[in-house]
């Protein structure tokens, strides 16, 4: 049975140096791995792309489900994974959950993966 990853507070900002800067601490590696794991799914990447490209910056889960061709429950599962990783946030309005990308978190991932230091 695979060993589960430890629970990490992913609400804290990504604060490690770029990978090319030198060895990464074990804690930073776990935090980064959890965030990258959330992105390692085509549906989640599509959803994040839609959220980042939306002019209103808030999209209902049902609209995202329709856009990527999955059921509402499946969309909610994927959005919960992205939210747990700190890549999206949500707000309940009436019967809808509206999701918004967190560009600062995505930018922090980009900075960590930067090959230039």
């Amino acid at each position: 049975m695979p060993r589960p990853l430890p629970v990490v507070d992913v609400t804290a900002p990504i604060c490690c140096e770029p990978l090319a800067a030198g060895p990464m601490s074990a804690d930073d590696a776990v935090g980064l791995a959890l965030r990258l794991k959330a992105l390692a799914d085509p549906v989640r990447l599509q959803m994040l792309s839609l959220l980042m490209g939306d002019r209103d910056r808030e999209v209902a889960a049902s609209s995202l489900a329709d856009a990527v061709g999955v059921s509402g429950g499946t969309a909610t599962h994927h959005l919960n994974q992205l939210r747990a990783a700190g890549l999206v946030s949500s707000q309940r309005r009436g019967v809808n959950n509206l999701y918004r990308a967190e560009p600062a978190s995505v930018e922090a991932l980009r900075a960590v993966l930067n090959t230039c230091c």
Side-chain angles (χ1 to χ4, degrees):
M1 175 178 256
R3 185 174 48 135
L5 288 174
V7 176
V8 175
D9 177 16
V10 292
T11 60
I14 298 171
C15 60
C16 49
E17 295 291 321
L19 292 175
M24 179 181 281
S25 75
D27 289 341
D28 285 344
V30 168
L32 182 59
L34 290 172
R35 288 174 171 100
L36 292 174
K37 184 178 177 183
L39 286 177
D41 185 281
V43 171
R44 292 181 200 147
L45 286 171
Q46 284 181 293
M47 289 179 160
L48 188 60
S49 173
L50 289 165
L51 288 169
M52 292 189 76
D54 189 80
R55 293 190 186 275
D56 295 331
R57 297 284 188 214
E58 290 185 332
V59 181
S62 59
S63 297
L64 288 167
D66 292 343
V68 298
V70 297
S71 69
T74 299
T76 299
H77 166 75
H78 287 299
L79 289 164
N80 284 337
Q81 295 297 313
L82 290 171
R83 189 176 61 218
L87 300 171
V88 302
S89 59
S90 66
Q91 183 176 20
R92 186 136 182 103
R93 291 208 188 126
V95 297
N96 290 319
N97 274 330
L98 299 179
Y99 290 85
R100 168 188 297 258
E102 292 296 332
S105 294
V106 176
E107 176 60 26
L109 283 176
R110 188 206 58 78
V112 170
L113 296 173
N114 190 359
T115 58
C116 302
C117 355

